[in-house]
Amino acid sequence: MFLKKNYSVEGLYLSPQMLRLAKKKHPEIVFHRGDMVSFKLKKHFDAITCLFSAIGHLKTRRKLGVAVRKMSRHLKPGGVLIVEPWITPQQWRYGSVHDNFVDQPELKVARMNISKTMRRLSVMDMHHLVATPKRVEHFVERLELGFSIKTNISTRSDRHDLRSNLIRMG
């Protein structure tokens, strides 16, 4: 939350669990419970960001358009909407194996998955092993995210009086 030092920052979460964690970690920030496609705040912002592949959870072009419209309605005149897209179908590597590990003295975590595709969705069954001195836990988290296509976001932006600009990073 780097920006909170110099700006007024607010957050929006759909998940009650994530909302609780955010409030606990950053009690000085106002957080709202809501969905990108249906939230309604009585405020307008200079900037709205939708980062870390969150937009991919919408899964359909229709919901993407609704979310862009909803976010744009919460912008002040001249405001900026920044949407970080999820991966494109061309970038997705079906069947690739992924892992991530945490190795601390009192905590070990292993997360592994194989990339899959289901219609227009990227699918990841994330297998987690979490070990603490008290126990080892295994759980699976399924992520289904809609592929990003530049025209999806650009077209929806242009329809809602927003100028779109795709900035390619590394």
Side-chain angles (χ1 to χ4, degrees):
M1 301 304 288
F2 168 78
L3 295 176
K4 72 180 179 181
K5 293 177 185 173
N6 299 307
Y7 300 93
S8 173
V9 176
E10 298 189 21
L12 178 72
Y13 283 98
L14 176 61
S15 161
Q17 298 89 343
M18 291 303 293
L19 185 61
R20 273 194 303 278
L21 286 171
K23 286 180 177 181
K24 183 178 178 181
K25 189 171 182 178
H26 301 284
E28 72 284 4
I29 294 177
V30 175
F31 290 98
H32 308 274
R33 182 154 188 254
D35 186 323
M36 283 184 271
V37 296
S38 63
F39 76 99
K40 188 171 187 175
L41 307 177
K42 295 178 181 175
K43 289 185 86 168
H44 291 89
F45 302 90
D46 294 313
I48 295 175
T49 61
C50 182
L51 305 174
F52 308 114
S53 70
I55 202 76
H57 289 278
L58 297 177
K59 300 183 185 178
T60 68
R61 291 178 183 172
R62 186 191 68 73
K63 284 187 177 181
L64 174 64
V66 172
V68 167
R69 184 170 47 252
K70 187 61 74 171
M71 288 183 259
S72 68
R73 287 181 180 158
H74 285 82
L75 286 172
K76 290 180 181 176
V80 176
L81 172 61
I82 299 171
V83 177
E84 180 183 32
W86 176 230
I87 199 165
T88 66
Q90 295 78 21
Q91 295 166 317
W92 186 250
R93 296 178 311 164
Y94 178 86
S96 61
V97 178
H98 304 272
D99 61 30
N100 199 354
F101 301 97
V102 172
D103 186 7
Q104 298 176 1
E106 301 289 315
L107 176 67
K108 309 293 183 201
V109 179
R111 184 186 77 192
M112 295 183 221
N113 75 286
I114 301 170
S115 300
K116 300 176 185 175
T117 305
M118 184 174 65
R119 295 182 291 283
R120 294 182 173 181
L121 302 177
S122 58
V123 179
M124 296 163 285
D125 290 320
M126 309 288 248
H127 292 261
H128 300 263
L129 271 177
V130 181
T132 65
K134 295 183 180 181
R135 68 176 189 222
V136 175
E137 183 180 1
H138 173 258
F139 62 95
V140 178
E141 175 187 24
R142 184 176 187 94
L143 295 178
E144 296 178 356
L145 291 99
F147 287 117
S148 290
I149 301 172
K150 181 194 180 299
T151 55
N152 284 353
I153 294 174
S154 297
T155 301
R156 273 122 190 102
S157 300
D158 293 341
R159 285 185 193 157
H160 306 297
D161 297 325
L162 292 172
R163 251 190 357 250
S164 64
N165 185 17
L166 178 65
I167 300 170
R168 297 196 187 277
M169 304 295 286

